[in-house]
Amino acid sequence: TLLRGVRVAGRFHLGKPELEPMLDLFNALNANHVLQEVQVIGQTWGRPQQIVTPRIVRVGLGARF
């Protein structure tokens, strides 16, 4: 797919509970591929209507008891 993602995660044991912090990075290379163009003939014909979303960073924490 066009959206390349990277995840960094680790597990920490605190007795019985287990914590898993994670960091996700989507569109790591900041690609800007055109997904859709204007198809109507006129001044805007061929212009991009939709491109790949920019970089997105997501931080999370999982817990198991």
Side-chain angles (χ1 to χ4, degrees):
T1 65
L2 295 175
L3 295 176
R4 301 288 182 207
V6 176
R7 172 175 273 193
V8 178
R11 287 192 178 148
F12 299 98
H13 299 280
L14 303 172
K16 183 163 177 142
E18 184 178 295
L19 297 177
E20 184 177 6
M22 61 192 96
L23 176 75
D24 294 328
L25 176 61
F26 298 100
N27 195 7
L29 301 177
N30 202 26
N32 60 352
H33 298 285
V34 175
L35 300 176
Q36 189 174 6
E37 294 179 347
V38 175
Q39 298 295 315
V40 178
I41 295 176
Q43 291 181 335
T44 60
W45 181 73
R47 286 193 186 170
Q49 274 189 313
Q50 183 181 11
I51 61 172
V52 175
T53 48
R55 287 186 188 112
I56 298 172
V57 177
R58 180 171 59 187
V59 178
L61 179 66
R64 294 182 189 194
F65 297 95

